[in-house]
Amino acid sequence: MIKEYYQNIENSVQTRANLIALRRELKDEKNRRALASLLGGDFTLLSSLLQDEDPKVRKNAALILGEMESEDLLPVLFDAYKKEDTLYVRADYLKAISRLEYRPVVDALKKRLDQLRKMEVSVEEQKHVSEEMRVLQAMVMKYEKRQPHRFTGYSAKKDMILVTNRCQREATARQLPGGRITMLAGGVRVKGAAVEDVLPIRTYSELLFPLELSSLALDQPAKNGRELAPAVLSLARELHQGQKLSPARELHQGQEPFLFRIELKGRISPEKKGACIRRIAEAIERASDGGLVNSVTEYELEIRLLERKDGTYVPMVKLFTIPQKRFSYRKQFIASSIAPVNAALTAELARPYLKEGAQILDPFCGVGTMLIERHRAVRAGTMYGIDIYGEAIDKARDNTVRAGEQIYYINKDFFEFEHTYLFDEIITDMPQVTAGKDREQIRQLYRKFFQKAGGHLKRDGVMILYASEPGLVSDMLGAHPEYKLTARFTLNEKNGTGVFIIHWRDTGK
């Protein structure tokens, strides 16, 4: 078919349709080689079509030439790109050029990109100009040696929002070392705290920098771009004028651009969400004069827009340039592993009941996260982790080495575990209902656990249970008066997931 399509093009038979059909065939590497062999390096016919009066003929001819990956075609395609006056075709020329070694024209591409950023375009032209800019930016960045930005603002005092468990915001708030604290629906806002003092706190899931802007309306992308760009990235002249700097410029070392993405959180439909994000991102790029570049990968910051009840959006920034060290030990996990922040929150809530130097047992230790976080909260003594799954034990040992801790792991069913001495504490993430274990099976497991656990505890020993089946914990406490519920912390109001502090009070020991 390759030869037939080409001959039809050669004979001017339905040129556009045959070009489209030929392009479709070139998705197969074998067909690309067949066309290259057929042409034998003679691109005269296809090159001549770059002057055809039909823009779709020009577009498809350019894309086919790009598939040939011949360096001789670079000046031909680039010259045609410069002369092209149909906007929706220009990006396709660039896509064809991008398949070649185009380093000789990178400076010209940068110049064109700068022109487009400053160009006033109509609403009708915006879509095509934005597409051309997107392709140009990707092509320029391929050859520019852009060094990632280094976060340097550890001592800077900033306003920050710590996203936390909604039910236990106070656990994070009380660890903040300074600044004015405000409780929010989904976390804590601290005003004027040093970044380095906040980073070690283990009970928040995300650190965000609020932008001091009025709420944004999604139907005004150009206005949003004009407001967001300078708030996120202060220009050099603002530095000399002593104006307040944005997180991106004040907190980093490195040259522009900063790579960003937009995260939109609200009630907007998925069909409209993508288009809305693109429009705002394009407006930000234009308003930042290239200082901010939208990127789906390797982004350094996220501009997060969070919907208010009135339908407007509050802007915040999340920096991916800040090294994430809190849970860096946890390289290994399994599907049922507890999230490190939840394990840290469990230990923080249980802190008043923890004993320094305690001997600790985790009967369902998984990959070791709970034991490591327990030790980080209050220094522990000897720690044992038990799990029936060998894969989990292997991963727990690896995580523990990374954490620089010493924990003894045993690949065994807890219900067959015996030990020569008793423990001060049992801390664990209790098993939950899954596709493999229904509620009745989990109920039986809870029953066996409560029957056995006390036999491993010293008098007045304590159990710290993270449980997503709170009803089963309550049932077992009712059936076992030797256990006393000392405290309960709700982590999820909907399903009742929580942390239970239980003391063993068997006077027969």
Side-chain angles (χ1 to χ4, degrees):
M1 295 299 292
I2 294 292
K3 185 174 182 180
E4 181 181 337
Y5 291 140
Y6 186 75
Q7 287 177 340
N8 286 339
I9 295 167
E10 196 172 29
N11 295 323
S12 300
V13 176
Q14 296 183 317
T15 302
R16 184 204 295 182
N18 280 286
L19 282 169
I20 293 172
L22 182 58
R23 263 192 67 208
R24 190 184 307 118
E25 293 295 320
L26 296 184
K27 292 178 181 179
D28 189 318
E29 171 65 26
K30 181 177 66 176
N31 290 336
R32 289 198 294 274
R33 291 197 301 269
L35 178 60
S37 176
L38 177 65
L39 297 178
D42 182 3
F43 305 111
T44 306
L45 173 61
L46 291 172
S47 297
S48 69
L49 295 178
L50 299 178
Q51 283 79 49
D52 194 274
E53 63 179 14
D54 183 346
K56 291 188 178 179
V57 167
R58 301 196 298 272
K59 163 186 171 175
N60 284 284
L63 290 169
I64 291 172
L65 286 170
E67 293 284 0
M68 296 299 95
E69 299 183 355
S70 170
E71 306 312 318
D72 294 339
L73 290 170
L74 178 60
V76 176
L77 286 167
F78 189 66
D79 186 60
Y81 163 69
K82 290 189 294 183
K83 294 176 179 177
E84 182 59 59
D85 56 8
T86 302
L87 288 179
Y88 74 80
V89 178
R90 295 184 64 88
D92 290 297
Y93 275 106
L94 291 171
K95 291 173 185 176
I97 293 169
S98 70
R99 298 184 65 86
L100 310 177
E101 169 49 63
Y102 59 87
R103 188 185 299 273
V105 300
V106 168
D107 287 342
L109 295 178
K110 290 171 66 175
K111 184 177 179 180
R112 173 60 180 170
L113 182 58
D114 289 339
Q115 290 173 344
L116 290 177
R117 287 185 179 130
K118 295 176 174 63
M119 185 184 297
E120 293 292 333
V121 297
S122 65
V123 175
E124 295 76 17
E125 296 172 328
Q126 183 65 56
K127 175 182 177 182
H128 305 306
V129 171
S130 295
E131 175 65 6
E132 184 180 354
M133 289 177 63
R134 185 188 67 78
V135 181
L136 277 169
Q137 184 66 65
M139 292 175 71
V140 169
M141 289 181 65
K142 178 180 177 181
Y143 283 102
E144 288 197 331
K145 294 181 179 179
R146 193 192 70 84
Q147 293 296 323
H149 292 91
R150 185 167 68 88
F151 183 80
T152 56
Y154 293 100
S155 62
K157 292 190 175 181
K158 306 295 296 181
D159 291 358
M160 290 168 274
I161 292 175
L162 306 182
V163 180
T164 70
N165 180 279
R166 288 177 175 268
C167 299
Q168 299 297 334
R169 297 165 296 170
E170 293 81 1
T172 298
R174 64 173 173 253
Q175 298 177 71
L176 290 166
R180 194 171 71 216
I181 298 170
T182 305
M183 307 302 287
L184 306 176
V188 180
R189 178 167 181 157
V190 56
K191 186 176 181 64
V195 176
E196 62 190 353
D197 292 336
V198 171
L199 290 179
I201 297 173
R202 309 181 73 78
T203 53
Y204 66 85
S205 57
E206 288 188 290
L207 171 61
L208 305 173
F209 294 87
L211 297 178
E212 300 303 326
L213 298 175
S214 58
S215 298
L216 307 173
L218 295 186
D219 60 354
Q220 299 176 315
K223 180 175 180 290
N224 294 340
R226 289 194 299 271
E227 293 183 1
L228 284 167
V232 174
L233 180 64
S234 294
L235 301 179
R237 62 179 180 271
E238 293 177 331
L239 172 62
H240 295 307
Q241 293 170 355
Q243 297 183 18
K244 184 177 180 181
L245 296 180
S246 67
R249 178 64 66 84
E250 184 181 11
L251 304 182
H252 296 91
Q253 285 186 356
Q255 300 298 312
E256 297 175 0
F258 287 89
L259 305 187
F260 76 95
R261 71 183 293 268
I262 292 178
E263 176 66 20
L264 194 60
K265 290 184 176 289
R267 294 164 289 184
I268 187 171
S269 67
E271 305 81 50
K272 296 181 179 179
K273 183 175 181 179
C276 186
I277 288 175
R278 283 193 297 274
R279 287 194 295 269
I280 296 174
E282 290 162 3
I284 290 172
E285 285 187 322
R286 187 178 294 276
S288 73
D289 196 28
L292 290 165
V293 173
N294 187 30
S295 175
V296 295
T297 59
E298 299 182 0
Y299 44 83
E300 299 170 299
L301 60 88
E302 175 184 286
I303 300 172
R304 183 172 302 180
L305 303 178
L306 182 64
E307 188 176 15
R308 289 178 179 269
K309 291 182 179 179
D310 64 3
T312 61
Y313 285 75
V314 178
M316 292 170 278
V317 170
K318 179 176 180 179
L319 297 176
F320 290 93
T321 52
I322 301 177
Q324 299 299 311
K325 298 180 179 179
R326 293 182 302 162
F327 306 115
S328 58
Y329 68 85
R330 191 178 178 271
K331 299 294 185 183
Q332 304 285 351
F333 60 91
I334 57 176
S336 59
S337 297
I338 188 171
V341 70
N342 288 337
L345 179 58
T346 298
E348 179 61 30
L349 293 171
R351 185 186 291 272
Y353 309 97
L354 305 181
K355 186 173 76 172
E356 188 169 341
Q359 294 173 314
I360 303 169
L361 172 67
D362 185 344
F364 312 108
C365 69
V367 297
T369 310
M370 190 70 86
L371 285 170
I372 293 170
E373 291 302 321
R374 159 61 182 84
H375 180 65
R376 296 287 167 92
V378 175
R379 186 186 62 81
T382 305
M383 295 182 285
Y384 277 82
I386 314 296
D387 206 287
I388 196 171
Y389 298 107
E391 178 189 357
I393 290 294
D394 290 340
K395 292 182 174 183
R397 289 175 176 142
D398 186 40
N399 287 339
T400 302
V401 169
R402 292 176 184 275
E405 309 293 356
Q406 181 173 341
I407 301 174
Y408 301 99
Y409 290 106
I410 301 173
N411 180 198
K412 194 169 189 175
D413 188 335
F414 169 64
F415 302 114
E416 298 176 359
F417 172 71
E418 297 296 336
H419 202 260
T420 55
Y421 60 79
L422 301 177
F423 293 87
D424 298 293
E425 297 171 17
I426 288 177
I427 184 169
T428 198
D429 173 17
M430 292 294 288
Q432 57 184 296
V433 175
T434 63
K437 288 187 177 180
D438 60 28
R439 185 171 179 80
E440 184 54 35
Q441 288 175 300
I442 295 298
R443 175 180 290 276
Q444 294 303 322
L445 186 148
Y446 270 57
R447 180 175 290 114
K448 291 172 63 179
F449 171 78
F450 273 80
Q451 289 171 349
K452 181 174 175 59
H456 292 284
L457 285 171
K458 297 177 182 177
R459 180 176 297 181
D460 296 324
V462 64
M463 292 200 304
I464 300 103
L465 308 182
Y466 177 95
S468 56
E469 304 292 341
L472 295 182
V473 177
S474 298
D475 290 349
M476 296 306 120
L477 288 172
H480 293 272
E482 63 272 24
Y483 293 103
K484 177 186 176 183
L485 178 63
T486 304
R488 176 179 177 177
F489 304 93
T490 299
L491 302 186
N492 187 311
E493 292 178 336
K494 185 175 180 179
N495 62 24
T497 294
V499 174
F500 294 78
I501 311 297
I502 301 168
H503 277 85
W504 168 255
R505 58 179 186 178
D506 184 7
T507 56
K509 287 191 177 182

